[in-house]
Amino acid sequence: QVQLVESGGGSVHDGGSLTLSCATSGIRGTKDRLYSMGWFRQGPGKEREAVATIDSYGGTKYADSVNGRFSVSKDNAENTLLLRMTQLKPDDTAMYYCAAVQAAWLSADHWTDHRRWHYWGQGTQVTVSS
């Protein structure tokens, strides 16, 4: 059974930092079953958008709006997915979701499509004030 649980959200001022964590179970990769993981977010009145992803080989992708400020990684023997966020802006305010999909890698054309991701956490709120 796949389970994803986010934590680490909160409120910070413009320019602050936060690190989000996603505790995972049931998605440890094997030679016949590989997973890619990622973070999505949805702000008030906005569509859900991809923020950052990491494939089974460690390759990462970032949205242009966060590139250079956010960093996605795996920790604790790949049981935890992290999103380190720095230089936060009010536009980063959103509910952040952890997601996973059974795929070895993610194409440039499809990694941003949330419909292609099969497993989701419940989300953690990030609020950035001016």
Side-chain angles (χ1 to χ4, degrees):
Q1 181 179 355
V2 175
Q3 292 183 320
L4 308 175
V5 181
E6 304 96 333
S7 63
S11 298
V12 298
H13 291 289
D14 192 358
S17 300
L18 281 175
T19 297
L20 306 183
S21 297
C22 175
T24 71
S25 63
I27 58 171
R28 178 172 293 179
T30 69
K31 61 180 181 180
D32 298 318
R33 187 177 300 134
L34 301 174
Y35 290 89
S36 294
M37 301 194 67
W39 292 92
F40 289 72
R41 68 185 182 186
Q42 187 165 17
K46 300 179 180 180
E47 298 180 356
R48 185 168 298 189
E49 64 175 349
V51 176
T53 60
I54 183 166
D55 63 30
S56 66
Y57 304 105
T60 58
K61 298 180 184 295
Y62 296 93
D64 289 341
S65 60
V66 307
N67 194 29
R69 300 187 297 119
F70 290 12
S71 179
V72 64
S73 63
K74 299 175 182 177
D75 198 9
N76 299 327
E78 301 188 357
N79 289 323
T80 301
L81 181 72
L82 302 176
L83 182 67
R84 181 174 177 80
M85 306 183 294
T86 64
Q87 301 175 351
L88 284 162
K89 308 173 181 179
D91 284 347
D92 294 319
T93 295
M95 183 72 75
Y96 283 71
Y97 298 91
C98 177
V101 63
Q102 188 174 324
W105 63 280
L106 302 165
S107 73
D109 293 334
H110 298 138
W111 74 278
T112 58
D113 188 354
H114 70 271
R115 297 171 298 177
R116 298 177 63 87
W117 294 76
H118 299 160
Y119 307 104
W120 296 87
Q122 294 301 304
T124 185
Q125 179 68 38
V126 171
T127 301
V128 185
S129 60
S130 300

